[in-house]
Amino acid sequence: MKNREGNKSVLGICYVLCYLLFLTACGQGQDNTNKPATVSPTITVPSPSDHASTVSGTVTFHADNGDIQVPKKPQRIVDLTNFYTGFFLALGVIPVGVLSGSAENPYFEGMLKGVQDLGEEPSPEKILELKPDLIITYTGTEGIEVFEKIAPVVAVEYGKRNYKEQMLEFGKLIGNEEAGKTWVDRWEKKIQELKPMIQEAVGNKTVSILNPYEKGLFVFGHNYGRGGEIIYGEFGLKAPPEAQKAAIDSGTGWASISLEKLPEFSGDIIFTCPWAGDTSDPKIVYDNPIWKQLPAVKKQHVFQLNPKADTYNDPVSLDGQLDFISDSLLSIK
């Protein structure tokens, strides 16, 4: 889901290749003993002391991958997650390198000028060229050992914290907790203003988040992006009972269903978009009589999300989603 598994496998391949190159470089002669380790003949991996000399001291950060010595004020962050880039942007720190998913997020338009798009298969060589002082990735990512030769690595366990908790955590990481608190306070104020109006407009209607994909549909819940954090979490709107059970009460945040089961999972209001993880044609669902007979479709209570943007649940993306979701729900008659 969300391309995290694909990123891990790619990074695993990078690790194997780089490790072999590292062994080759180390074995090229005894006179290399006092030289920095390399992952290729032309690229030098900085030692930990090299990093320390470029920043005004380090601090211990209690990350999900252990206690990590990080710069007090990291300035050259490489984000290898796609899903955390918006946190740093909201905190006022622009990464020097991101994956393509972040680079293509419409909500980040104009915010990533000069930032290196590392693609979806980032090579250690590309990362080295950016001279990062901090690398962000997921826990369990293969090849973390290689990245640790480049810069301190903070790994995050996806889903361990909600987005507000994660915002405060990243505020600590960059040495600016106040910026994290400021965003959370501003966000909660906006929710308090909107929530009564949204609940009055929606009433007892149920809301579904549905993505067609090659084998059927994904049903999303409260913690897997696509507006779920806002719809179910902040606004407290109701999902259909089957969707509530499968995608929310289960704690997974999502469920997969066949087209035949769609009526059981469909709410009075639907937010939908094609699944970004495959190339299947969503018209297989949208043109199907089962879909066309849904009450929400007949009443035109269906709203199209953006598959390149609404997958994310970072502060910048959530701000954009909040506007779209609020406008959509307030238009319900």
Side-chain angles (χ1 to χ4, degrees), residues 18-331:
C18 293
Y19 185 62
L20 290 173
L21 287 168
F22 173 73
L23 291 178
T24 301
C26 288
Q28 285 180 345
Q30 296 299 319
D31 60 352
N32 287 338
T33 304
N34 297 320
K35 295 181 180 179
T38 59
V39 295
S40 79
T42 59
I43 301 178
T44 302
V45 178
S47 67
S49 61
D50 292 331
H51 292 294
S53 66
T54 62
V55 295
S56 57
T58 61
V59 294
T60 301
F61 181 73
H62 303 293
D64 295 333
N65 58 324
D67 289 348
I68 310 298
Q69 292 297 310
V70 302
K72 286 183 179 179
K73 298 276 187 179
Q75 300 296 313
R76 299 187 61 81
I77 297 174
V78 167
D79 174 28
L80 301 179
T81 68
N82 271 331
F83 295 91
Y84 294 128
T85 302
F87 286 90
F88 295 107
L89 295 176
L91 287 165
V93 178
I94 301 175
V96 295
V98 299
L99 299 185
S100 290
S102 294
E104 296 170 0
N105 186 339
Y107 291 132
F108 299 163
E109 185 176 357
M111 303 178 74
L112 292 173
K113 291 181 180 179
V115 176
Q116 178 69 46
D117 181 348
L118 295 169
E120 287 300 336
E121 300 182 4
S123 69
E125 287 83 0
K126 280 187 177 181
I127 296 170
L128 275 166
E129 290 172 0
L130 295 175
K131 299 179 181 179
D133 57 13
L134 184 64
I135 296 173
I136 307 297
T137 189
Y138 294 112
T139 54
T141 297
E142 296 179 28
I144 284 181
E145 297 88 347
V146 170
F147 300 134
E148 288 172 342
K149 296 177 185 297
I150 301 172
V153 175
V154 166
V156 184
E157 181 181 341
Y158 184 85
K160 183 177 180 178
R161 306 167 189 83
N162 66 39
Y163 59 93
K164 286 184 268 193
E165 294 168 338
Q166 191 64 64
M167 185 62 164
L168 297 175
E169 194 73 3
F170 280 143
K172 293 178 186 176
L173 176 61
I174 68 164
N176 192 352
E177 294 182 57
E178 193 58 38
K181 292 176 182 177
T182 297
W183 184 87
V184 171
D185 290 344
R186 181 181 61 80
W187 172 263
E188 290 183 340
K189 183 178 179 181
K190 288 173 71 174
I191 295 299
Q192 289 171 5
E193 293 172 352
L194 285 167
K195 186 173 181 177
M197 294 186 288
I198 296 298
Q199 290 187 334
E200 182 179 355
V202 175
N204 290 321
K205 297 182 179 70
T206 57
V207 184
S208 293
I209 306 172
L210 305 169
N211 278 190
Y213 81 116
E214 63 181 359
K215 296 181 180 179
L217 295 101
F218 285 125
V219 180
F220 290 101
H222 61 304
N223 64 351
Y224 229 82
R226 299 158 183 86
E229 287 82 1
I230 296 170
I231 293 167
Y232 303 124
E234 299 292 8
F235 289 157
L237 302 180
K238 297 185 298 182
E242 290 299 319
Q244 176 74 33
K245 186 193 311 181
I248 299 177
D249 293 345
S250 67
T252 60
W254 65 278
S256 176
I257 63 169
S258 66
L259 182 60
E260 290 70 27
K261 290 188 176 182
L262 176 58
E264 301 172 42
F265 288 80
S266 176
D268 302 306
I269 302 165
I270 296 174
F271 286 88
T272 186
C273 68
W275 169 244
D278 62 41
T279 57
S280 59
D281 186 353
K283 290 183 179 180
I284 294 172
V285 171
Y286 296 149
D287 287 346
N288 191 285
I290 296 176
W291 176 271
K292 290 183 175 182
Q293 290 302 311
L294 295 175
V297 176
K298 287 184 173 181
K299 293 181 180 180
Q300 297 184 334
H301 289 173
V302 177
F303 303 99
Q304 282 285 335
L305 298 166
N306 186 327
K308 287 189 175 182
D310 294 320
T311 295
Y312 301 97
N313 52 11
D314 62 84
V316 176
S317 299
L318 284 170
D319 271 324
Q321 292 169 23
L322 181 61
D323 291 339
F324 174 73
I325 290 168
S326 298
D327 290 345
S328 299
L329 293 174
L330 290 172
S331 72

